Amino acid sequence: MRIFIAGASGAIGGQLVTRLVARGHTVIGMTRSAAKVSALRESGADPVVVDALDPDAVADAVAKAEPEVIVHQLSALSGPSSMRRVKQMAAATNRLRTEGTDHLLAAARAIGVHAFVAQSNALWMERTGGPVADESGRIEPHPPADAEAAVAALRHVEDGVIGITWADGIVLRYGSFYGPGTSLSSAPDAVMTRQIRERKFPIVGDGGGVWSLVHIADAASATVAAIERGRPGIYHVADDDPAPVRVWLPYLARTLGAKPPRRVPAWLARLLAGQGAVDMMTRARGISTGKAKRELAWTPRYPSWRAGFTQGLS
């Protein structure tokens, strides 16, 4: 197939290019950075430099590429971290998930693609029910005020893609990424890794928030399976071991050779980082992945973060 990947130079986008080209697909890789064109070309993609927030440029690039499938992996969650930088990245990502999604959907409809596959994530599953949610669960309808824009942007992606009638709309709710190219890897500039080593990523409150994690290579293999044989709807993509923060974070610190994470009361974390961060650390729900395994014939290489952290960070 001819496959257009928006966000082809990101952590998962780069993995997708390599895998799809190896499987015989023609890949058109969209990036906003001219500096990443050479790497995309070396990976086997036909690169295009496009500002995802420019509707005319997106429409023109998609029309020229004539893809059968569009894969939406746009985000701005990369680069050096500071409180101000995090807010800037979050705001930019929200625009990519709202305006960027709308531009890609309009371009896709104009040329009549067969399928549209989009990235969502599982950190904001509705905070009711048990510790693990399946695909019938919805995004939290009443998030904290400081997380409202980010959660609304996720909802925008999901509603827009699942609501299309002119193509197969597929949404992938990923667990939290780790592995090469992500913020949690063995690379010296990996933001989350550095924070854990510097004891700046604490356990907040009781650390009872349940996170599902997924190695970036497993996320990519599930995405390829969804592109090739997914049906319209939502798929959860994560490992088989959802766990509270108070369980997986100390294990990760030991794996990295770091001191145990600090413990910070929820009231103090709320003052320093906001209610949204506290909510994720104390109330998040994990996800189940039975549907992806059944319908996509997908099996993660790392079924638990325990093996993934020790074997797959580099």
Side-chain angles (χ1 to χ4, degrees):
M1 295 182 287
R2 290 182 62 82
I3 301 170
F4 185 99
I5 302 178
S9 58
I12 189 168
Q15 293 255 353
L16 287 176
V17 169
T18 302
R19 290 168 182 267
L20 290 168
V21 169
R23 294 177 67 81
H25 300 292
T26 298
V27 177
I28 301 90
M30 172 178 144
T31 178
R32 66 178 180 270
S33 173
K36 296 179 179 179
V37 164
S38 295
L40 281 172
R41 188 173 286 117
E42 290 171 4
S43 297
D46 297 325
V48 291
V49 179
V50 179
D51 178 358
L53 299 178
D54 182 337
D56 293 333
V58 171
D60 184 61
V62 170
K64 289 179 179 177
E66 298 183 324
E68 296 160 80
V69 179
I70 289 180
V71 182
H72 175 4
Q73 295 286 350
L74 294 169
S75 81
L77 300 176
S78 62
S81 178
S82 65
M83 188 59 68
R84 181 178 179 182
R85 173 67 175 152
V86 166
K87 291 180 178 180
Q88 291 173 339
M89 290 190 296
T93 295
N94 292 344
R95 289 192 68 191
L96 291 172
R97 288 175 173 162
T98 52
E99 298 170 49
T101 297
D102 291 346
H103 300 337
L104 284 170
L105 284 173
R109 184 170 190 173
I111 68 163
V113 302
H114 298 165
F116 191 103
V117 181
Q119 175 187 137
S120 183
N121 74 57
L123 272 175
W124 285 103
M125 297 301 296
E126 187 172 14
R127 304 313 199 215
T128 60
V132 177
D134 64 18
E135 285 83 356
S136 66
R138 60 179 180 169
I139 298 295
E140 171 58 40
H142 305 294
D146 60 344
E148 191 169 347
V151 178
L154 285 176
R155 194 179 298 113
H156 186 94
V157 173
E158 295 197 2
D159 291 348
V161 175
I162 297 303
I164 62 179
T165 58
W166 38 267
D168 290 345
I170 299 171
V171 168
L172 303 176
R173 283 182 186 149
Y174 298 107
S176 297
F177 294 150
Y178 68 92
T182 73
S183 65
L184 178 53
S185 73
S186 60
D189 59 346
V191 173
M192 188 172 171
T193 302
R194 188 176 69 247
Q195 290 175 332
I196 292 169
R197 285 176 170 151
E198 295 174 354
R199 304 187 79 196
K200 294 179 179 178
F201 195 98
I203 296 172
V204 174
D206 66 356
V210 176
W211 287 32
S212 284
L213 298 114
V214 63
H215 192 278
I216 194 69
D218 285 331
S221 67
T223 306
V224 171
I227 291 167
E228 294 183 338
R229 50 187 177 272
R231 295 188 290 181
I234 296 172
Y235 291 92
H236 285 175
V237 178
D239 69 17
D240 302 329
D241 195 8
V245 175
R246 63 174 175 259
V247 173
W248 65 259
L249 185 53
Y251 185 97
L252 174 57
R254 289 195 300 273
T255 301
L256 294 172
K259 293 181 180 180
R262 301 180 191 276
R263 287 185 173 267
V264 175
W267 67 265
L268 179 57
R270 191 177 299 114
L271 291 175
L272 296 173
Q275 181 59 38
V278 172
D279 194 282
M280 285 192 293
M281 298 290 278
T282 60
R283 301 182 66 222
R285 298 173 71 201
I287 53 174
S288 61
T289 58
K291 180 181 177 182
K293 291 176 180 176
R294 290 192 309 272
E295 297 190 10
L296 304 179
W298 171 72
T299 302
R301 177 182 177 185
Y302 297 106
S304 171
W305 44 267
R306 298 174 191 273
F309 287 169
T310 57
Q311 302 170 22
L313 288 182
S314 58

